[in-house]
Amino acid sequence: MPPASVTLAADRSTAEAPSRLPRQGVAALTLGALGVVYGDIGTSPLYTMKEVFAPHTGVPLDALRIVGAVSTIFWALMLVVTLKYVVLILRADNHGEGGGLALTALAAEAVRSRPALRRGLLLLGVFGATLFYGDAVITPAISVLGAMEGLGVIAPALGAYVVPATIAVLVGLFAVQRYGTGLVGRFFGPVIVLWFATLGAIGAVHIAEQPAILAALNPLHAWSFVTGRGWQLPAAIGAIVLALTGAEALYADMGHFGKRPIRIAWTGLVLPALALNYMGQGALLMKDPAAIENPFYHLFPEAWLVPALVLATLAAIIASQAVISGAYSLTRQAVQLGFLPRMRVLYTSAREPGQIYMPAVNSMLLAAVLGAVLFFGSSSALAAAYGIAVTLTMLTTTLLTWFVVRERWRLPSWLAGGATAFFLAVDALLVAGCAVKFLDGGWFPLALGLLLFVVMSTWWRGRARLMDEIRQDGLELRGFIDGLQAQAIHRAGRTAVYPVADVATVPQALLHNLKHNQVLHECNVVLTVEFEPVPWVPQEERVQVESLGNRFWRVTLRFGFMDTPDVPKALDLVRAQGLAIPPFETTYFLSRETLVPAPGGGLANWRARLFAAMSRNAGGVVEFLRLPDNAVVELGTRLQV
């Protein structure tokens, strides 16, 4: 059984990253944020304006609607990204960390006195997290496809090579993940700065030629555009949503850079560059409606098309890298919070524990991305699939934030309720706009998210059911230890560590050792590893030691969901509490269960079989807890679920 249990205990106000390096300067962090956080939203100009005026939206390509569409995009960036995320959501940090699961932990802690609501919020948060994987599949596909479609602008004959070139770029990108992103990451910031500078500069050139587009800054034009679309409004909104994809990254990557650098980067460079580029595309379309074929690339003079294509490709790779790294981080968090089985994690940097590589996630993500490219074939087709997962994630974030601002921050009901109602209305409009694209491709990320939700909820419920089974059939630990007092049992002169999930029952490995070998060790440690709903647990709160008598101790190790669990290193801390565990005189006894689906086991038959299959294929406890290979003994047992 996996020894890690999930305890959603009270947040620790002193939690921090004990192994982190000192913070860099604000300028360096801002540059890093540009390279990681804003790649996704920064590549949206590649395809957004083209989709707003696509035939299926019914938006006429005339000066009035062009100004209205650009105004709607600008004010959507202001309301959703600036007001909601930059001003409000970034305040909801879980000891410096952000993201869907970090927010879920905060919301769940805010209502911990109401167990049913708490469970509901956990499942809601998990559902929101699964939607991120849909975004992680579509973002690399649509970003690289959108960049490669510039080949057709350079020379129409090259259009046939768009999909093969996209596949080659994506395969290369995923292939280099195993070497880590540290070296490549140093180049991300400068490249993305050049990208945003180019977006703003080329947009400003066209604005100067057609200054009438500046009327888009007036929100009345956005209001007129929205109210004037009638029954076709959802289709138009579904295209405008493309300008907002990547907004969640501002919150998800907060732990890497901090809220201040993210805010500086947004207000100082990203927002102005995006606004200028969208208005520049609008100005171009007012002057030359035929440029709607690909308004982004038509911004550039013919001599600049190749450099623009190269820069766009680099920006698309950066956008893809951000969601790939995010998928690794989210998966590790899900594992440590108990929603996924253990997976192999490789650390690609000796200095930065957050730089990880997960081979299984990388392979599955690459397969899904290539499948999306081959199935949809163009950025326009993928645009139909893009957005619905993002907007549902935004809606989930708003709902979870309500419990944080009302129950945790204790803001007045009128203020918390008013702000939540406003953002829920905006999110609902965005979701409705994307819902009309369901049959055209919107089903794809939802189906992927639903599949992952079934997998994650099955593992969560299966683990809970397994723990109930162990408690029902197991021996009570205190009574067992007291019963040993009168027995003469041979003692081996070493230390035995028994990792368990349930601290109240006798470890199965201990019972098997006693039954078959008829021996106890001189020192017996019943070890529990708990993952708290905080990113980091400080060293002084890492270990709790309790003497149980008769040379038995109960040791509890606590880690945050961003910590790297290293049991031997953590056990060095118990010496300060009066217990010595010599590393070269210690054996770790693990219980390896074979799960057998059985009728009446508390899980539907298909869930029981899925849970058993996931358990068989879970990563090893030895690797997960960093136990020494030459000091581990595994003893098997069979359990029904």
Side-chain angles (χ1 to χ4, degrees):
M1 133 196 17
S5 62
V6 180
T7 301
L8 292 177
D11 285 344
R12 303 173 183 273
S13 60
T14 58
E16 60 185 9
S19 59
R20 280 179 154 179
L21 297 173
R23 274 285 188 190
Q24 303 175 62
V26 173
L29 289 169
T30 302
L31 182 64
L34 284 167
V36 175
V37 177
Y38 294 108
D40 190 355
I41 200 169
T43 53
S44 295
L46 285 168
Y47 42 77
T48 299
M49 286 294 288
K50 179 175 68 173
E51 295 307 316
V52 170
F53 293 99
H56 71 273
T57 66
V59 180
L61 188 58
D62 56 38
L64 180 63
R65 272 69 172 206
I66 291 172
V67 172
V70 173
S71 182
T72 304
I73 291 173
F74 174 76
W75 286 102
L77 291 171
M78 292 297 293
L79 291 176
V80 176
V81 183
T82 306
L83 184 58
K84 178 180 174 180
Y85 282 94
V86 174
V87 174
L88 176 62
I89 302 295
L90 286 183
R91 294 186 59 214
D93 66 290
N94 192 335
H95 298 290
E97 290 293 332
L101 290 179
L103 182 62
T104 299
L106 281 178
E109 283 304 307
V111 297
R112 63 178 308 177
S113 60
R114 290 172 277 179
L117 177 59
R118 185 166 168 269
R119 284 194 298 272
L121 291 180
L122 284 172
L123 291 176
L124 177 64
V126 170
F127 176 68
T130 62
L131 293 174
F132 173 82
Y133 289 99
D135 186 30
V137 169
I138 297 176
T139 293
I142 194 172
S143 297
V144 179
L145 266 174
M148 290 296 103
E149 285 170 353
L151 290 171
V153 178
I154 295 172
L158 295 177
Y161 297 96
V162 168
V163 171
T166 298
I167 291 175
V169 170
L170 289 171
V171 170
L173 175 62
F174 279 88
V176 301
Q177 295 301 311
R178 70 187 67 184
Y179 302 110
T181 59
L183 181 61
V184 180
R186 296 194 188 106
F187 298 98
F188 281 5
V191 170
I192 209 70
V193 168
L194 178 60
W195 169 253
F196 282 118
T198 303
L199 290 183
I202 197 66
V205 169
H206 288 273
I207 293 170
E209 295 176 356
Q210 199 75 25
I213 193 64
L214 291 173
L217 296 174
N218 186 342
L220 293 178
H221 287 288
W223 178 256
S224 176
F225 179 84
V226 170
T227 56
R229 298 312 310 141
W231 64 272
Q232 292 181 310
L233 175 62
I237 293 297
I240 287 170
V241 161
L242 297 174
L244 306 176
T245 55
E248 279 284 328
L250 277 72
Y251 182 51
D253 291 319
M254 179 170 58
H256 295 289
F257 306 102
K259 60 186 71 174
R260 188 182 175 201
I262 290 176
R263 285 169 171 162
I264 292 173
W266 173 255
T267 56
L269 179 60
V270 179
L271 176 60
L274 291 175
L276 286 171
N277 193 262
Y278 284 122
M279 285 192 285
Q281 291 189 45
L284 172 66
L285 293 175
M286 292 173 70
K287 179 181 177 181
D288 180 17
I292 192 60
E293 173 200 6
N294 198 318
F296 176 79
Y297 280 109
H298 281 292
L299 287 172
F300 297 90
E302 186 174 347
W304 291 14
L305 282 177
V306 173
L309 174 65
V310 172
L311 186 58
T313 302
L314 291 174
I317 290 173
I318 293 170
S320 304
Q321 180 63 60
V323 294
I324 294 170
S325 300
Y328 298 156
S329 297
L330 181 62
T331 302
R332 184 173 72 164
Q333 291 180 31
V335 168
Q336 297 188 172
L337 287 172
F339 293 111
L340 283 175
R342 296 179 305 274
M343 297 184 189
R344 187 183 179 203
V345 179
L346 302 178
Y347 295 85
T348 59
S349 172
R351 291 169 55 84
E352 296 290 349
Q355 292 185 12
I356 60 175
Y357 169 65
M358 304 184 74
V361 176
N362 194 67
S363 298
M364 290 187 286
L365 197 57
L366 173 60
V369 171
L370 294 182
V373 170
L374 293 172
F375 181 81
F376 291 98
S378 70
S379 64
S380 294
L382 266 170
Y386 210 18
I388 192 164
V390 176
T391 53
L392 282 173
T393 303
M394 291 178 177
L395 183 65
T396 300
T397 297
T398 301
L399 290 171
L400 292 171
T401 303
W402 154 258
F403 293 96
V404 175
V405 299
R406 181 71 187 107
E407 304 291 337
R408 188 178 179 87
W409 296 350
R410 300 294 180 182
L411 293 184
S413 297
W414 65 269
L415 179 58
T420 302
F422 173 76
F423 288 121
L424 279 177
V426 174
D427 292 338
L429 178 62
L430 298 179
V431 171
C434 294
V436 299
K437 302 186 290 185
F438 180 80
L439 295 179
D440 296 324
W443 57 269
F444 179 76
L446 287 184
L448 183 61
L450 182 60
L451 176 63
L452 289 170
F453 180 76
V454 169
V455 169
M456 294 171 78
S457 61
T458 295
W459 182 258
W460 188 51
R461 291 183 57 184
R463 289 292 302 152
R465 183 69 190 91
L466 188 60
M467 291 300 300
D468 291 340
E469 187 75 19
I470 291 173
R471 292 188 185 101
Q472 290 174 8
D473 298 340
L475 296 176
E476 197 270 325
L477 181 60
R478 285 282 189 178
F480 172 81
I481 294 173
D482 292 341
L484 294 175
Q485 299 280 3
Q487 300 182 33
I489 300 175
H490 178 70
R491 295 272 185 168
R494 289 175 60 89
T495 297
V497 176
Y498 298 95
V500 297
D502 182 26
V503 298
T505 58
V506 181
Q508 292 291 319
L510 190 154
L511 289 176
H512 285 298
N513 191 33
L514 187 59
K515 176 181 178 181
H516 297 291
N517 299 324
Q518 298 182 353
V519 65
L520 280 176
H521 285 69
E522 188 67 27
C523 174
N524 298 276
V525 176
V526 180
L527 174 69
T528 304
V529 178
E530 296 181 351
F531 287 95
E532 306 279 4
V534 295
W536 318 94
V537 172
Q539 296 281 21
E540 60 269 20
E541 300 181 30
R542 175 82 69 213
V543 176
Q544 179 180 338
V545 178
E546 178 186 0
S547 175
L548 302 176
N550 204 17
R551 288 173 281 185
F552 275 80
W553 283 265
R554 178 185 290 145
V555 175
T556 302
L557 302 181
R558 294 186 173 88
F559 297 94
F561 56 76
M562 294 295 290
D563 279 321
T564 300
D566 189 328
V567 166
K569 182 178 178 181
L571 288 179
D572 287 341
L573 302 174
V574 303
R575 188 179 300 273
Q577 301 190 35
L579 175 62
I581 302 180
F584 296 107
E585 299 177 15
T586 298
T587 303
Y588 297 87
F589 288 88
L590 307 181
S591 176
R592 177 175 289 276
E593 292 89 0
T594 299
L595 303 182
V596 182
L603 293 176
N605 186 56
W606 67 270
R607 274 192 185 272
R609 292 182 180 278
L610 175 59
F611 177 65
M614 292 169 68
S615 184
R616 285 194 302 271
N617 291 282
V621 177
V622 176
E623 294 81 7
F624 185 70
L625 298 182
R626 296 195 165 188
L627 303 180
D629 291 329
N630 59 355
V632 173
V633 175
E634 292 187 289
L635 300 171
T637 186
R638 293 172 64 88
L639 291 174
Q640 291 186 341
V641 292

